Amino acid sequence: MARKLIAGNWKMNGLSRGAATLAEALAKRAQDAGPLGWDPLICPPTTLLGSVGQALKGSAIALGGQDCHPARSGAHTGDISAEMLADAGCRYAIVGHSERRADHGEDDTLVRSKAEAATAAGLVPIVCVGETAAQREAGKALRVIEAQLTGSLPRPGRGTVDGAGLVVAYEPVWAIGTGQTATPADVAQVHGHIRGLLAQLLGGAGAAKAVRILYGGSVKPGNAAELLAVADVDGALVGGASLDAEDFWAIGARAG
Ligand code: PGA
């Protein structure tokens, strides 16, 4: 069974002083814990990649970006390329988070080009998919997720085909930051569906099995054990609770 990946997405939170305290607290926990049975990842805002990366250096905690531009470099004011993230010490890049899809109108085609750029830069893309409340109520959740996944993954030849270089995050939009979580039965259904789709898209069950599929949406220390025990849940993408070292580490402890 794959080691679970617990990814902390700080979103647009954190100023230098508080972030240093948080990153140092996490690094200390990693050091005190010794060898871990799970993989921790922190994705701070871009302004903090340098300082957080410095605090986490030499620890078991990996660094990731929250987004990247499809191009390697060029005239794209305000954007950050995947190569820049790699240069800053990142190993992962979140792409297609529902907040970016909503705030910036990102569609599957753009998300796919970002995932391909991440792969080309040697990063592991964390490709996010998830339905809205209205889509779930209309019975369309699986269809929406299927379309997002099919449209957002790197095309064959443009991305990793062995599965180990890819992470998918299922985040029901209605569960993000709301305190509501999908039921374990719903999570099992969606994750199983994603695994099946990955087998088709990546050309086999072996490749699909190597992809880590994360659940995200109001994961907390109190519900992490139940969610992480669901079949085909290979980790969690954690927003709010990742801003507290104790909570983030408690979630990780449930993962391994
Ligand atoms: P949340 O966010 O844990 O605060 O719900 C999850 C996410 O959006 O990645």
Side-chain angles (χ1 to χ4, degrees), residues 10 90-91 134 162 202 209 221 224 235:
W10 288 5
C90 291
R91 286 175 43 207
D162 69 1
L202 302 180
K209 194 78 203 146

Side-chain angles (χ1 to χ4, degrees), residues 37-183:
W38 55 287
D39 295 331
L41 164 67
I42 293 296
C43 302
T46 310
T47 49
L48 296 171
L49 282 174
S51 59
V52 171
Q54 197 57 37
L56 300 181
K57 214 178 182 131
S59 81
I61 307 172
L63 190 68
Q66 297 178 10
D67 177 51
C68 67
H69 191 277
R72 281 184 66 185
S73 62
H76 302 288
T77 303
D79 276 310
I80 305 288
S81 74
E83 199 176 33
M84 289 170 176
L85 293 178
D87 185 50
C90 291
R91 286 175 43 207
Y92 294 82
I94 299 170
V95 294
H97 191 284
S98 62
E99 286 154 12
R100 291 207 62 87
R101 290 178 187 261
D103 289 359
H104 300 278
E106 295 193 4
D107 62 10
D108 294 334
T109 307
L110 180 60
V111 174
R112 159 176 280 163
S113 61
K114 292 181 173 206
E116 289 174 352
T119 305
L123 301 175
V124 175
I126 301 176
V127 179
C128 302
V129 297
E131 82 285 0
T132 62
Q135 289 164 335
R136 175 156 285 270
E137 277 153 27
K140 293 187 188 151
L142 292 183
R143 243 179 304 154
V144 167
I145 290 158
E146 187 166 331
Q148 286 178 338
L149 198 66
T150 308
S152 303
L153 289 191
R155 284 161 292 182
R158 306 275 188 112
T160 317
V161 285
D162 69 1
L166 175 67
V167 174
V168 171
Y170 167 53
E171 297 204 302
V173 176
W174 49 270
I176 296 176
T178 59
Q180 282 182 273
T181 50
T183 64

